[in-house]
Amino acid sequence: MGYFRVRKSVLDGKVSISGAKNSALPILAASLLTNEDIIIDNVPDLLDVQTMLCILRESGRNVKFENAKVHISGEVVNSEISYELVRRMRASFNVLGPLSAVLGQAKVALPGGCAIGVRPVDFHIEGLKKLGFEIRIEHGEVFSKFIKKEKEVILSLPFPSVGATEHLMTTAAILDGVTVIENAAMEPEILDLQDFLNKMGAKVKGAGTSKIVIEGVSKLKGVNHRVIPDRIEAGTYAIAIAASGGKGYIENVIPEHLDALWEVLKDTGTKIEINENRVYIDGSNEKNSTKVNVLPYPGFPTDLQPQIMVYLSISKGTSTITENVFKNRFLHVDELVRMGANIYITNGTAIIKGVKKLSGAKVEGTDLRASAALIIAGLVADGVTEVYNDQHVLRGYEKIVEKIKGLNGNIEHLG
Ligand code: UD1
């Protein structure tokens, strides 16, 4: 198992943001809706993306990935995706609808639990049933068979789930009649998926709002598409620069995707200057406490919650973070406490009493964003920090060592 060795650093300089993992994954899944050629640009080279490319290959499509471009061609012929691929990444489940819509039936393993808590797929399954699929779950696998869709279907999600919104909207794009998704997630990645689908010839509108309307078409075509920048990667580096007391530029970002973060950083004393596609961060001031309420977009993103916790751990006064998306997403707290942070959890809220400094330790990341947070903690802590279980970080941060070194951060990746 590899690890990252990190030493205290004041970050400065600039960092360029890669394409969004969470856009690339649903877009790649949606590419199963046609047999025509597709080119997707600005795709980050990450373990999760490689897993999705393996799924496309398993379906029969030919896939070439070089210089951030994925070329997809050839027919979709196989609709059974192995457990091994779904086990590695939850987003794999989102090929169930597209495959069973295109080939009539499909079999995909049920995703297991994960470190950030119970993550069911009940909204996906209920939605697919309403779209006219017969669903059976047996031996940990989900069988889906298309029977018949009603002319108009209204899907009302109990919570604005990103994955369920994307899965159902992609599947409905190629089913006859109208589908309305109410209480849809509004994340920018959903708008990117809508753009991709519409370039393919789909008729989807409303993404970015809570109501998405899909008029199904019988055939979709090949397309060229460029994935939007990764707002979570951008936010992670912005927090790292600010927490380290440094100054620097985040480049190739869509600043308004991170308005909730800029507000928290400004509110606590970090200076932010926003330009068209770059943001200047000046974290040299003393930081103050605040209250963060984690919510679906446009609220503060759960995928930046562990990272902002590190920042607030060394800010003056008592801060709170209330997690409303994944209620149990606090596994990083124990590791931060081992590094000297003063945090406790009560009823889904973390109470963070700011300390003057953190101290380096051997720690282990339990998921992608928790691991990123521990790397930030290593950059601000005295001494040496070793963040174990490198696989999590490699799932979601392209060239993280090069990028942190480019910001004058002291980090090594050791095997
Ligand atoms: C996506 C992101 C992930 C991010 C999350 C929330 C991708 C590949 N991943 O994950 O990085 O942390 O959005 O912004 O885009 N839920 C149910 N039943 C369901 C589906 C979801 O109860 O069928 C619940 C979940 O347990 C969770 C909440 O809804 O509490 C939100 O989850 P969801 O938005 O679906 O997250 P993902 O799409 O898995």
Side-chain angles (χ1 to χ4, degrees), residues 100-101 104-105 131-134 144-149 175:
S100 43
Q105 55 184 27
L131 286 175
F133 293 86
E134 184 184 277
S144 165
K145 186 175 176 192
F146 184 62
I147 309 290
K148 185 180 185 300
K149 177 177 175 294
L175 298 177

Side-chain angles (χ1 to χ4, degrees), residues 356-377:
K356 287 221 164 60
K357 57 179 187 148
L358 298 178
S359 61
K362 290 186 177 171
V363 288
E364 182 156 347
T366 43
D367 72 73
L368 167 56
R369 308 304 171 185
S371 302
L374 293 172
I375 289 180
I376 298 175

Side-chain angles (χ1 to χ4, degrees), residues 16 43 51 96 143 149 158 194 204 208 250 294 311 366:
S16 181
V43 177
T51 300
L96 180 69
F143 298 80
K149 177 177 175 294
Q194 171 179 279
V204 184
I250 312 290
V294 174
Y311 172 92
T366 43

Side-chain angles (χ1 to χ4, degrees), residues 52 108 267 300 390 408:
M52 188 56 89
V108 174
D267 191 36
F300 191 93
D390 58 350
N408 282 323

Side-chain angles (χ1 to χ4, degrees), residues 23 27 188-196 225-228:
S23 250
I27 284 173
E189 293 75 22
I190 292 167
L191 199 53
D192 202 19
L193 176 63
Q194 171 179 279
D195 286 347
F196 175 76
H225 183 79
R226 188 178 169 81
V227 169
I228 58 170

